[in-house]
Amino acid sequence: MASRQVLFLAVVVATAIAFFPATTSAMDYMVGDSHGWTLEYPSNWADDKSFKIGDNLVFMFPKDKHTVTEVDGPAFRACDRQGNTLRTWNSGNDTVALDRAGRRWFFCNVENHCERGMKLLVNVADPNAPAPSSPSPPPPPSSSAGINYRA
Ligand SMILES: *[C@@H]1O[C@H](CO)[C@@H](O)[C@H](O)[C@H]1NC(C)=O
Ligand SMILES: [Cu+2]
């Protein structure tokens, strides 16, 4: 009886592992680390990071000096403060949940702060998406390729 319970447990564990492969724990990222979300924000801060669904971005900044403004790609690229704004956070301690896969664009909507480097693009991965397949090799030539039957 005990061994049946052990077997049952083993099946449960194996099933859990099969259904949740390579699930890593969610991360809270302090944007800009010790610089925070300020004019000292290092523009390459995100370069060595891989964001995934479930992670959070925590923006810390002096309230009323900056904003966290989520915009679309064109507004982001142009630092266009009149562009398409999706959402703004301005408490100075703002957690943005990365709750969907894909690109998200943030900048500071104060004066020329975006031009001065307060802009952040994150590319959020879906850890449960199937791994991208490697490019398939070209199909092998069919057996008749190159043969001129009328020769
Ligand atoms: C920021 O907010 C979180 C909860 O939203 C809180 O736990 C934390 O103490 C706050 N940090 C500061 C420095 O205010
Ligand atoms: Cu700013």
Side-chain angles (χ1 to χ4, degrees):
M1 273 160 286
S3 67
R4 283 189 63 161
Q5 286 171 346
V6 170
L7 180 64
F8 175 74
L9 194 63
V11 169
V12 169
V13 169
T15 305
I17 291 171
F19 275 88
F20 300 100
T23 299
T24 50
S25 56
M27 295 275 296
D28 286 353
Y29 289 96
M30 182 69 67
V31 176
D33 298 319
S34 60
H35 303 282
W37 183 241
T38 66
L39 289 171
E40 277 70 54
Y41 166 76
S43 59
N44 64 349
W45 174 80
D47 289 359
D48 62 350
K49 297 175 180 65
S50 314
F51 303 98
K52 62 186 182 306
I53 292 176
D55 291 346
N56 294 302
L57 300 176
V58 181
F59 291 86
M60 301 287 306
F61 54 96
K63 186 172 157 53
D64 300 330
K65 287 211 160 54
H66 305 286
T67 71
V68 178
T69 300
E70 183 167 11
V71 294
D72 63 11
F76 178 87
R77 281 185 283 279
C79 283
D80 181 2
R81 298 164 60 204
Q82 266 58 254
N84 186 18
T85 294
L86 308 176
R87 191 168 167 188
T88 293
W89 294 260
N90 54 21
S91 80
N93 176 6
D94 294 294
T95 297
V96 175
L98 301 179
D99 51 7
R100 61 179 188 275
R103 291 184 167 195
R104 296 180 67 177
W105 299 269
F106 304 91
F107 65 40
C108 174
N109 197 21
V110 172
E111 296 169 0
N112 63 351
H113 292 191
C114 178
E115 286 88 345
R116 292 170 69 182
M118 292 189 71
K119 57 192 305 191
L120 167 63
L121 159 62
V122 297
N123 199 353
V124 183
D126 180 351
N128 292 319
S133 57
S134 50
S136 48
S142 69
S143 56
S144 62
I147 298 174
N148 185 342
Y149 287 102
R150 293 198 289 178

